[in-house]
Amino acid sequence: GTLHACDRLAQGVCHVALHWDGGRHHATQSQAQGFCYVNDVALGVLRLLDTFERVLVIDIDAHHGDGTETAFYDTDRVLTVSTHMYGPGLYPGTGSLEDVGESEGTHYNINIPFKDGVDDATFLQVVPPVMQEAVHRFQPTAVVLVCGADALA
């Protein structure tokens, strides 16, 4: 699974690894949430941090990656970028623009919240420039891409 993929990356066996069933980004250290009983994304990033200095997490999903954000909210070694729907009645109700991290992690958390019904043109107008600047400034040594199937809706 995710940990095996991260181990292979850390060992230099491959440069790209894929886990089709990964991306359980809602669970926190102490609680299962949103159909996620464990946060394999956070566990994988922790494994990568044993080898890589800076890890960029890009989370593209209809729902905010709240558990992953929480796991790394106060560190400057992980930059989390989450694109998601945001507004009244949308699960999990987190991921506002103002949530930028805290302590050493201040400005190492980027949320790109969209209103329900965002179209491709708007997404492509907003996300690529933000990602390019994030990569340029953070200079990650490893990247984790979380692609939620519901982001395709």
Side-chain angles (χ1 to χ4, degrees), residues 12-90:
V13 175
C14 59
H15 296 291
V16 175
L18 176 66
H19 179 216
W20 287 107
D21 194 34
R24 311 292 181 192
H25 60 180
H26 293 300
T28 64
Q29 186 175 8
S30 61
Q31 184 176 351
Q33 300 186 123
F35 301 105
C36 304
Y37 60 92
V38 66
N39 189 323
D40 67 305
V41 178
L43 293 175
V45 169
L46 288 171
R47 185 71 56 92
L48 291 173
L49 287 171
D50 289 340
T51 303
F52 299 98
E53 185 61 31
R54 292 175 308 285
V55 178
L56 169 62
V57 178
I58 303 167
D59 190 324
I60 301 171
D61 194 274
H63 304 96
H64 177 238
D66 54 332
T68 305
E69 176 184 276
T70 299
F72 303 107
Y73 206 63
D74 62 356
T75 182
D76 59 0
R77 293 189 62 206
V78 178
L79 174 63
T80 56
V81 180
S82 177
T83 66
H84 51 273
M85 297 292 127
Y86 182 74
L90 293 171

Side-chain angles (χ1 to χ4, degrees), residues 71-116:
F72 303 107
Y73 206 63
D74 62 356
T75 182
D76 59 0
R77 293 189 62 206
V78 178
L79 174 63
T80 56
V81 180
S82 177
T83 66
H84 51 273
M85 297 292 127
Y86 182 74
L90 293 171
Y91 182 83
T94 57
S96 76
L97 284 170
E98 291 79 26
D99 298 333
V100 297
E102 63 186 20
S103 185
E104 293 171 0
T106 302
H107 303 298
Y108 289 88
N109 186 74
I110 300 171
N111 285 306
I112 307 173
F114 290 103
K115 291 182 180 178
D116 193 17

